[in-house]
Amino acid sequence: MTTDKSSRKSSRKSSRDSTADLQAACTHPPSSTIAIGHPHVQPIHLSVVWECEDPAAADQLLANPGSGYVYRRDGHPNATSLAQQLVVLHQTDRAALTAQGMSALALAFLSQLNPGDHVVLARQLYGKTLRLVGHELKRWGVTSSLVDINDSTAIQQACQHDRFRILAVETIANPCLEVADISALASIAHNNNGLLLVDNTFATPILCQPIKHGADLVMESLSKFVCGHGDAMLGLLCGKAEHWTNVDALSSTWGLASSPLDCWLTQRGVATLPIRLQQACENASKLATFLAGHDKIASVHYPGLPTHPQHALAKRLFDDRFGHMLSFRTSGGAENATNLMQHLKTVVPFCPSLGECQTTFSHPASTSHRGLSADEKHRLGIDDSLLRLSCGIEPATWLIEHFQAALAKL
């Protein structure tokens, strides 16, 4: 009888131990004993945290960003790999990846500004950029002024503000495609003890490397053409080491960090960026030329056209490629603009973004610049008949045939 009780106790203990082992196995995967070669494609590192040998090792890693990883918010392998690649592409010193383009802009301003500082903004900047500075940073004591990117006298005067700190412009402006003279603007900013911040989203580092032309900081929405497939959101801030003192710490403190999956998807896109951009630029050039000669199109904005006011500057900056973006107005006003999009919706969808493999429409007045007043839109040349086109990589002849058929229906 004693033996039976002892046996039952032993059996129950063995069962409990077995259950505990199974439960522990769910959270403690075995270490691999298989020799693994170097992966040909960068793996996705989805871990939030890394194991440390001891507190001293963790302290050392956290004190020296880039020496290893502890917590994803402070860095992860996918961000490191992509950042190193973008440093080379932009020919600069440092790069930080953020959750999206707007957080990259926020990081630029947070790292360089103090209450009372003054920011000079190109009037042609993206609507959310204008709001970020003109409304949100204003609450923190940062003042700003708007200037026309082509009015050097007005820019010079604005930068003489006694607390001037940053001049912010876009390489190719959204949506009417004005081109910034980066070298001249850098000289104005530096002569007034300030920095030049350039949004290079429309150009990408393949068309333009603003740091080479004198810019101090460059940001891009990598969600657009650098990724190129419409499936990742990511922002880039890059620049010179001398302006990087607070960048990494602030990115962590404000929670602006990037996702490993989005970094991985974007790095996949970088591999085909030069080829995709070449095709998209050719498509934009051919479409712009076709539209400029059509009697149902009132005007076309594209830096590659000889009629563009900054065509010579664009040729100097970009050589023989002028970007994949163009905008135009239909004759007949807003009604014809809407009708044209309807006739083309199965071929060119209305998507308020840009930079994918497929050509897409956007309508700035109701999307990217909807928050501006009627006067502000008018000053920028934006009305309800203006359509923006992000050219993809389809055959140009195929796109032109569809546009020709759609325009014939207006």
Side-chain angles (χ1 to χ4, degrees):
M1 191 70 178
T2 305
T3 303
D4 289 343
K5 287 182 179 178
S6 175
S7 175
R8 286 197 297 271
K9 286 181 180 178
S10 176
S11 176
R12 286 196 297 271
K13 181 177 184 299
S14 175
S15 176
R16 287 197 300 271
D17 289 347
S18 177
T19 301
D21 287 342
L22 286 173
Q23 291 175 342
C26 291
T27 54
H28 288 70
S31 300
S32 174
T33 57
I34 301 172
I36 301 175
H38 185 73
H40 180 61
V41 175
Q42 172 78 10
I44 307 174
H45 298 268
L46 292 177
S47 181
V48 172
V49 68
W50 279 257
E51 296 178 8
C52 302
E53 287 295 324
D54 51 43
D59 182 64
Q60 181 68 19
L61 288 168
L62 290 169
N64 297 280
S67 62
Y69 308 101
V70 176
Y71 194 64
R72 185 196 289 182
R73 185 181 59 221
D74 300 304
H76 54 83
N78 293 105
T80 299
S81 179
L82 179 56
Q84 289 172 345
Q85 195 170 13
L86 291 167
V87 162
V88 174
L89 288 174
H90 274 281
Q91 296 190 17
T92 188
D93 299 328
R94 303 292 297 275
L97 296 169
T98 66
Q100 55 182 277
M102 287 306 300
S103 48
L105 266 174
L107 182 57
F109 292 127
L110 286 169
S111 64
Q112 307 301 322
L113 296 175
N114 290 305
D117 284 346
H118 187 78
V119 179
V120 177
L121 300 165
R123 195 179 299 277
Q124 294 88 342
L125 284 168
Y126 174 50
K128 278 288 195 298
T129 304
L130 297 176
R131 178 169 181 83
L132 173 64
V133 179
H135 293 267
E136 303 307 324
L137 290 183
K138 182 179 180 180
R139 297 190 298 116
W140 299 92
V142 173
T143 62
S144 62
S145 55
L146 295 176
V147 294
D148 189 304
I149 197 60
N150 300 306
D151 189 340
S152 58
T153 302
I155 296 170
Q156 177 67 47
Q157 290 174 347
C159 291
Q160 289 173 354
H161 189 285
D162 59 357
R163 290 293 301 272
F164 165 68
R165 181 59 180 158
I166 292 177
L167 169 61
V169 303
E170 291 178 358
T171 312
I172 305 173
N174 178 23
C176 291
L177 291 303
E178 294 95 334
V179 178
D181 189 339
I182 299 172
S183 298
L185 295 170
S187 294
I188 294 174
H190 297 160
N191 289 341
N192 289 280
N193 300 313
L195 306 177
L196 177 64
L197 167 64
V198 177
D199 180 339
N200 197 52
T201 299
F202 275 24
T204 82
I206 303 302
L207 289 189
C208 184
Q209 298 154 327
I211 299 292
K212 288 173 58 179
H213 297 279
D216 301 287
L217 295 167
V218 176
M219 68 74 51
E220 289 181 356
S221 173
L222 301 177
S223 317
K224 308 303 190 293
F225 214 81
V226 173
C227 174
H229 294 77
D231 51 13
M233 288 198 76
L234 205 64
L236 165 71
L237 179 66
C238 63
K240 300 175 181 178
E242 62 197 89
H243 308 306
W244 216 256
T245 306
N246 299 319
V247 172
D248 294 324
L250 283 168
S251 179
S252 175
T253 303
W254 284 82
L256 306 178
S258 59
S259 152
L261 177 59
D262 291 80
C263 288
W264 186 89
L265 289 167
T266 302
Q267 193 161 34
R268 174 208 60 183
V270 171
T272 60
L273 175 58
I275 299 170
R276 289 186 290 104
L277 191 60
Q278 179 67 34
Q279 180 64 40
C281 287
E282 289 179 10
N283 285 352
S285 179
K286 290 175 181 178
L287 264 174
T289 301
F290 163 74
L291 292 170
H294 201 286
D295 59 1
K296 291 182 181 177
I297 299 298
S299 60
V300 179
H301 305 279
Y302 183 65
L305 293 175
T307 53
H308 189 280
Q310 291 98 43
H311 176 67
L313 171 62
K315 193 169 181 61
R316 191 170 78 242
L317 279 175
F318 313 134
D319 198 11
D320 61 344
R321 294 176 296 179
F322 299 93
H324 63 288
M325 302 296 298
L326 64 99
S327 59
F328 62 92
R329 287 182 184 78
T330 53
S331 301
E335 183 179 357
N336 266 353
T338 301
N339 289 339
L340 180 62
M341 285 193 291
Q342 286 298 311
H343 293 321
L344 283 166
K345 66 181 180 181
T346 59
V347 178
V348 183
F350 174 28
C351 295
S353 189
L354 60 109
E356 298 185 19
C357 291
Q358 184 180 20
T359 300
T360 58
F361 270 125
S362 185
H363 186 249
S366 62
T367 58
S368 59
H369 291 73
R370 66 185 303 273
L372 301 184
S373 67
D375 286 344
E376 289 170 325
K377 289 179 185 176
H378 178 73
R379 184 176 290 187
L380 292 174
I382 298 171
D383 58 30
D384 289 337
S385 71
L386 181 72
L387 298 175
R388 194 191 71 188
L389 202 64
S390 171
C391 291
I393 61 174
E394 309 94 330
T397 52
W398 182 83
L399 285 169
I400 290 172
E401 284 174 5
H402 282 284
F403 267 87
Q404 196 159 24
L407 285 166
K409 296 176 183 178
L410 297 184

